[in-house]
Amino acid sequence: MKVLESKFANEFLNMAERCFSMGWHERNGGNMSYRIRPEEVAEVRGDFTDKNPWVEIGAAIPSMAGEFFMVTGSGKFFQNTKSQPEDATAIVEVDGAGENYRIVWGLVNGGRPTSELPSHLLNHAVKAAATGGKNRVIYHCHPVNVIALSYVLPLEDAVWSRELWDTMTECPIIFPAGVGVIEWMVPGGREIGVASSEKMKTYDVIIWAHHGMFVSGEDFDMAFGLAHTVDKAADILVKIISMGGRKRSISSDDFRRLAKDFGVTLNEDFLK
Ligand code: 2HA
Ligand code: ZN
């Protein structure tokens, strides 16, 4: 089977289109990766090339050795991903040491995988370990309200988690662990990848101050749904703050009652 006939590639491209339509991907902003299942790799392997050189990832990630990822390309526009998938995306293979990658499909007009590849692979490693291999999508975007809030709210996990939970009743059910926040960092390197992957041990959502959001999900729908929920909560929070601030709130005990009925465990640190 050709890569572009596969279910996973079509889901990847549909996700990119959906995310672009949300306004989260100006120009070449944002990136995405999917850890391809072995049986999906087997279906499309005949469409791969082994002619490309191995390139250093910039971080050693032994647990991702031998894995294949579909990724967006560096400098490529989400807007064009679905119409020009072979130009704008790639499938990369990680070598047996987890230190190098090579392009086995895509980026036919040259180029490199996303500049955030070290962040993506480090976070795949953390999430695969934390979920028994279930989580397969890492996704990064530039949503307006999250970025705006990062200039106003203190950059603390507890503040963001509680403020976002208290915008819409379903938020704590959708991200019960809360959200992690990291201060402004230079994008694209190992450092921001390591800082994010530390937070990803606890959370599925990381706020990159003055930059955007980084999320993990089992599949494309879950990753999109999580980013969408956080973006909507941030939108409501901007409105609350713009209207002069809260006049009332969901109480800590209300959150505990909600958690009990919906069978989720909320981070008690954020219920003080
Ligand atoms: O432009 O979003 O974080 C790509 C990015 C880097
Ligand atoms: Zn970015």
Side-chain angles (χ1 to χ4, degrees), residues 29-31 116 140 142 208 211:
N31 32 72
E116 303 289 1
H140 165 58
H142 297 172
W208 285 358
H211 181 160

Side-chain angles (χ1 to χ4, degrees), residues 98-119:
E99 291 177 5
N100 302 283
Y101 74 85
R102 67 177 173 182
I103 296 168
V104 297
W105 179 90
L107 286 172
V108 290
N109 299 311
R112 284 174 294 123
T114 165
S115 58
E116 303 289 1
L117 190 67
S119 279

Side-chain angles (χ1 to χ4, degrees), residues 69-89:
F69 297 85
M70 185 164 183
V71 298
T72 48
S74 177
K76 303 294 182 180
F77 293 18
F78 263 60
Q79 184 175 11
N80 301 334
T81 304
K82 192 168 176 186
S83 60
Q84 299 164 23
E86 287 167 295
D87 172 76
T89 72

Side-chain angles (χ1 to χ4, degrees), residues 91-213:
I91 294 178
V92 298
E93 176 183 10
V94 176
D95 72 359
E99 291 177 5
N100 302 283
Y101 74 85
R102 67 177 173 182
I103 296 168
V104 297
W105 179 90
L107 286 172
V108 290
N109 299 311
R112 284 174 294 123
T114 165
S115 58
E116 303 289 1
L117 190 67
S119 279
H120 279 255
L121 298 184
L122 285 162
N123 282 283
H124 274 293
V126 166
K127 280 304 179 193
T131 64
K134 256 182 153 180
N135 268 43
R136 292 190 171 271
V137 177
I138 298 282
Y139 167 61
H140 165 58
C141 58
H142 297 172
V144 171
N145 296 294
V146 165
I147 298 171
L149 284 172
S150 75
Y151 287 91
V152 174
L153 291 186
L155 300 176
E156 294 166 21
D157 300 359
V159 174
W160 279 73
S161 299
R162 182 61 181 255
E163 290 284 345
L164 290 174
W165 281 352
D166 194 6
T167 58
M168 201 167 53
T169 296
E170 303 224 339
C171 284
I173 303 163
I174 292 162
F175 46 100
V179 304
V181 185
I182 59 177
E183 294 191 355
W184 185 87
M185 293 179 80
V186 176
R190 182 177 176 279
E191 216 174 293
I192 194 167
V194 170
S196 305
S197 60
E198 277 305 310
K199 295 271 185 191
M200 275 288 186
K201 290 176 185 164
T202 308
Y203 308 108
D204 288 325
V205 184
I206 312 297
I207 308 301
W208 285 358
H210 324 325
H211 181 160
M213 179 163 39

